[in-house]
Amino acid sequence: MTTKRRTTRRRNTSDDPVTSYAEDVVAGRVIAGPHVRNSCRRHLQDLRDGPKRGLVWDLAAAKRAIDFNADVLRLNGGQFEGKPFRLEPPQAFKTGSIFGWKWKATGRRRFRRAFIEEGKGNGKSPWAAGVGLYCMLADGEARAEVYAAGKDKAQAMVLFRDAVAMVDQSPALAARLTKSGANPVWNLADLKSGSFFRPIAKKGASSGPRPSCALCDEIHEHPSRDVLEMLERGFKFRQQPLLVMITNSGSDRQSICWEEHQHAVQVAAGTRTPDADFTYVGEVLDDTTFSYVCALDKDDDPFTDPSCWVKANPLLGVILEHDYLADVVKQALDVPGRTNGILRLHFCVWTDSATTWMSRKLLDRVLRDFKPAVHHRQRVFASADLSATQDMTAAAFVVPTGTVERERLVDDRRVKVTLPTFAAWVEAWTPKDTIVERAKRDQAPYEAWVKDNWLTPTPGPAVRFDYVAARFQSIQADFLLQGIAYDRYGFKLKFEPELDAVGVTVPTFEHPQGGTRRAKPDERAVAAAKASGGIEPEGLWFPGSVRELETLILEERIVLQASPVLISAIMSVVTESDPFDNRWFSKRRATNRIDAAVALAMAVGLATSRIQTKFVSVYETRGIRRT
């Protein structure tokens, strides 16, 4: 007896961009990370097994949604201005999957939710804006309501502005749609179908929306599930609603983003308990969620192996340049404090929140031996980080020294810009009576620093603020002192009276430490901005000042006096961060005293803020301009 050999016919995928991409990824012809590989395996498995549970692959519907982008939409910005929005293969896979998979019994879309996690700069927002415009205009939904949502209205506007720009670039859409508002536009309406597309945030929503499509941006920044729940409650009025979540990776494993990330990677792998390699199992966990989660494999090192970059950045070489990511990697190697943010934003790595800040190699590039007197009679911006009782008090002084040209990436193009340069030094005080005891406790050579005049002892068991104030008096006499940044602790009650006593009368600016609070904008600066029609300044805060200081050091636009007190402080700094990549110095986690580094960041924050352009020195206000 002979048996017939079963043969499996190879599916012709030459005209199916979704399946072609999936096959290329699974075969290794297109490099992708573990979760994207699993999403592709899932697609191929569903082509085989999906009909058994009522799924149908509607290629025509998938292609219609994909083609809508190139046929109707136009891109905006830089090198892409006005060009048709032709989806790249990874984008076509996402769009086609969402709109091509349907339930055979109803003909409605299979996927009601889509979770997209990619590296920064891979076109997530324009892609999502295209999905929103398609759902408003071509999805067959009566009176479609499309919402761009964020943690707040400002974030919701980022994605929505991409949609508005696409409308402006497209003659067909510009003729069909009606815009409401100007600078900014707040609504796009298709009067013929009664449909609209607008931004929304939970705060300020007057009534419950009834979305046919909701696009939620930067889920890793959402503090709660409130926005998603508000939108999904309105889905009950729709037959085939769609929630699209786009995000970078985060750091908070108690967040809504982590919950959605975990669900998405498990759905893609087909198991609730994936192994370390995320081996594909293929169980059906959730037929209504589409998953496209970019990630590195467990042994990948983006700092030494550029070949893995594309796993987190599927549009590398299309939007993102290799040179740009190379610069980003160099920053991470030079400034360890940026490492976690770079891993999260550019390489889809969920990180912890604390890390060391600065490499000695980078710091050495900006250290110089100079005397502050070389900047005699120049403008100087100061700060004071006051000690509690027995600790160290530090002050920093920053002098603008000129300008220099540097290259910056603007609209995906490298352009030369003129940027300011600075010189800075720190000074520190410590109680004389306890210096030996604290040197042992802190394992720091305080006595040697005192001998070499890097650290000033004050009589008694606590820092004498009158000594510190006297130094500010001499600074005011020798330089054009523009202002002092201060943290609220002890300043008003203990230090400001000492300044008044020695006649130091310059503007002072609150500068909170930590990462949770920004100072109120200075009333004088706000009034000056309004009078001149300029942009109103924001209050000082530590994450902004840390970022400014990092940038100055990275671009070698600041020279730091080579004080061992400052060097020790910088080498001891540990940063903490929040889910929004705001970073600040953590005194409780530092390996040594970091008061000098804190003071330096505060003074740099003041010197580089818009506040500093609004005031003149005490000499000018008194008519004693020194030259």
Side-chain angles (χ1 to χ4, degrees):
M1 181 177 177
T2 61
T3 57
K4 289 186 177 181
R5 183 179 178 184
R6 286 189 71 180
T7 59
T8 302
R9 295 182 60 187
R10 178 178 175 83
R11 180 183 296 269
N12 182 4
T13 60
S14 60
D15 198 36
D16 183 344
V18 179
T19 303
S20 293
Y21 176 79
E23 290 180 338
D24 285 344
V25 167
V26 171
R29 292 187 292 270
V30 170
I31 303 301
H35 312 313
V36 172
R37 295 197 301 268
N38 284 342
S39 292
C40 291
R41 291 187 180 103
R42 180 193 187 196
H43 175 79
L44 298 179
Q45 178 175 304
D46 286 343
L47 288 175
R48 296 189 303 269
D49 303 336
K52 298 175 185 176
R53 59 182 192 276
L55 292 177
V56 60
W57 174 237
D58 188 341
L59 177 58
K63 291 181 65 178
R64 182 170 182 262
I66 293 169
D67 292 343
F68 173 85
N69 289 265
D71 293 343
V72 179
L73 304 183
R74 298 292 181 271
L75 293 168
N76 68 288
Q79 59 183 312
F80 303 106
E81 185 76 15
K83 292 184 177 180
F85 190 6
R86 293 189 175 89
L87 298 184
E88 294 296 320
Q91 296 173 313
F93 176 76
K94 293 182 294 186
T95 298
S97 294
I98 291 170
F99 292 99
W101 279 109
K102 296 183 179 180
W103 295 107
K104 184 177 181 179
T106 63
R108 295 171 189 161
R109 277 197 305 271
R110 164 197 185 180
F111 292 123
R112 296 167 60 98
R113 306 175 101 244
F115 183 82
I116 313 297
E117 187 174 334
E118 295 175 322
K120 182 179 180 181
N122 281 272
K124 293 187 297 293
S125 293
W127 172 81
V131 170
L133 289 169
Y134 181 83
C135 285
M136 178 174 70
L137 297 169
D139 199 31
E141 183 75 21
R143 297 188 178 276
E145 295 184 19
V146 179
Y147 294 95
K151 66 180 176 67
D152 51 33
K153 199 65 170 283
Q155 188 182 76
M157 285 298 296
V158 173
L159 189 157
F160 182 69
R161 279 196 297 268
D162 281 325
V164 173
M166 287 179 179
V167 171
D168 291 340
Q169 290 283 351
S170 169
L173 293 185
R176 177 172 174 176
L177 300 182
T178 300
K179 294 190 295 185
S180 298
N183 298 322
V185 174
W186 58 268
N187 190 69
L188 295 171
D190 181 26
L191 301 181
K192 182 179 179 179
S193 66
S195 303
F196 64 77
F197 186 173
R198 66 180 57 154
I200 191 174
K202 186 174 188 297
K203 183 178 181 180
S206 57
S207 60
R210 301 181 176 185
S212 54
C213 175
L215 311 164
C216 288
D217 199 5
E218 301 295 11
I219 299 297
H220 75 284
E221 295 187 8
H222 287 232
S224 70
R225 192 174 283 277
D226 290 352
V227 172
L228 295 186
E229 288 182 347
M230 173 188 68
L231 294 167
E232 290 190 291
R233 279 196 300 268
F235 282 179
K236 62 187 177 183
F237 299 102
R238 302 289 180 174
Q239 292 185 334
Q240 54 173 13
L242 176 63
L243 171 68
V244 176
M245 298 168 279
I246 60 174
T247 190
N248 298 128
S249 301
S251 61
D252 183 0
R253 285 173 171 78
Q254 305 300 317
S255 66
I256 172 184
C257 188
W258 178 250
E259 290 178 13
E260 296 291 348
H261 166 91
Q262 287 288 81
H263 181 65
V265 301
Q266 290 168 7
V267 166
T271 175
R272 293 294 182 196
T273 56
D275 60 20
D277 294 311
F278 289 91
T279 303
Y280 184 71
V281 176
E283 297 176 3
V284 179
L285 302 182
D286 179 359
D287 252 334
T288 66
T289 294
F290 172 73
S291 165
Y292 191 90
V293 178
C294 293
L296 305 178
D297 284 287
K298 67 176 183 178
D299 295 325
D300 286 336
D301 182 357
F303 299 132
T304 60
D305 181 12
S307 69
C308 71
W309 293 353
V310 71
K311 295 179 183 179
N313 299 279
L315 296 194
L316 183 61
V318 178
I319 298 178
L320 279 177
E321 296 179 356
H322 282 267
D323 287 348
Y324 171 76
L325 276 188
D327 288 345
V328 166
V329 167
K330 183 177 182 299
Q331 289 179 18
L333 296 174
D334 286 338
V335 187
R338 288 192 173 186
T339 299
N340 280 354
I342 287 169
L343 285 172
R344 278 198 319 99
L345 296 176
H346 294 288
F347 299 114
C348 297
V349 176
W350 280 76
T351 63
D352 296 320
S353 61
T355 183
T356 55
W357 180 49
M358 182 71 61
S359 72
R360 181 59 190 264
K361 178 182 177 181
L362 179 62
L363 180 61
D364 283 343
R365 296 177 193 166
V366 298
L367 292 176
R368 301 289 188 277
D369 290 320
F370 70 86
K371 301 294 183 183
V374 301
H375 299 292
H376 186 58
R377 298 178 183 173
Q378 299 299 310
R379 291 187 304 149
V380 64
F381 299 88
S383 69
D385 180 46
L386 306 176
S387 57
T389 52
Q390 297 185 2
D391 296 326
M392 185 183 295
T393 285
F397 305 93
V398 178
V399 177
T401 56
T403 59
V404 68
E405 282 194 344
R406 288 286 187 270
E407 281 194 347
R408 286 283 176 87
L409 194 67
V410 178
D411 293 332
D412 299 310
R413 294 180 296 113
R414 291 187 177 276
V415 298
K416 285 188 176 182
V417 294
T418 300
L419 299 168
T421 59
F422 301 90
W425 70 93
V426 298
E427 301 183 18
W429 296 261
T430 194
K432 184 177 181 179
D433 289 4
T434 59
I435 194 169
V436 175
E437 172 191 336
R438 286 181 299 102
K440 293 179 180 178
R441 182 194 69 190
D442 297 341
Q443 295 184 344
Y446 294 148
E447 293 172 288
W449 291 350
V450 168
K451 181 180 179 181
D452 293 336
N453 297 316
W454 293 113
L455 182 62
T456 301
T458 65
V463 171
R464 291 268 301 269
F465 288 158
D466 55 336
Y467 276 67
V468 182
R471 177 54 179 154
F472 274 87
Q473 180 188 39
S474 64
I475 290 290
Q476 181 178 260
D478 295 333
F479 302 87
L480 305 181
L481 183 58
Q482 302 293 291
I484 303 171
Y486 68 92
D487 181 61
R488 284 193 302 188
Y489 175 80
F491 187 86
K492 291 292 184 181
L493 292 177
K494 297 180 180 179
F495 191 54
E496 197 168 54
E498 299 290 356
L499 292 175
D500 291 340
V502 294
V504 176
T505 55
V506 295
T508 58
F509 303 91
E510 185 185 355
H511 190 309
Q513 297 175 9
T516 60
R517 192 172 71 86
R518 184 191 291 272
K520 292 182 179 179
D522 186 86
E523 294 178 359
R524 298 157 296 186
V526 171
K530 287 181 177 179
S532 64
I535 300 174
E536 292 187 18
E538 296 179 320
L540 296 170
W541 79 321
F542 216 81
S545 297
V546 169
R547 192 171 296 277
E548 290 288 351
L549 177 56
E550 286 177 351
T551 300
L552 291 178
I553 294 174
L554 274 168
E555 297 181 350
E556 297 182 39
R557 291 193 289 116
I558 191 168
V559 170
L560 302 177
Q561 187 188 42
S563 158
V565 178
L566 178 60
I567 294 170
S568 173
I570 290 177
M571 291 296 95
S572 301
V573 166
V574 172
T575 60
E576 292 185 84
S577 64
D578 62 17
F580 317 129
D581 199 36
N582 296 317
R583 287 172 296 111
W584 58 93
F585 296 167
S586 174
K587 286 189 175 182
R588 64 187 179 89
R589 295 193 181 192
T591 58
N592 211 323
R593 304 299 313 177
I594 64 169
D595 308 85
V598 170
L600 176 62
M602 292 169 65
V604 164
L606 179 60
T608 57
S609 71
R610 288 197 299 273
I611 294 173
Q612 57 96 355
T613 65
K614 306 300 180 184
F615 297 98
V616 293
S617 76
V618 65
Y619 300 110
E620 293 170 285
T621 60
R622 294 174 177 171
I624 316 175
R625 178 62 186 264
R626 294 192 172 193
T627 58

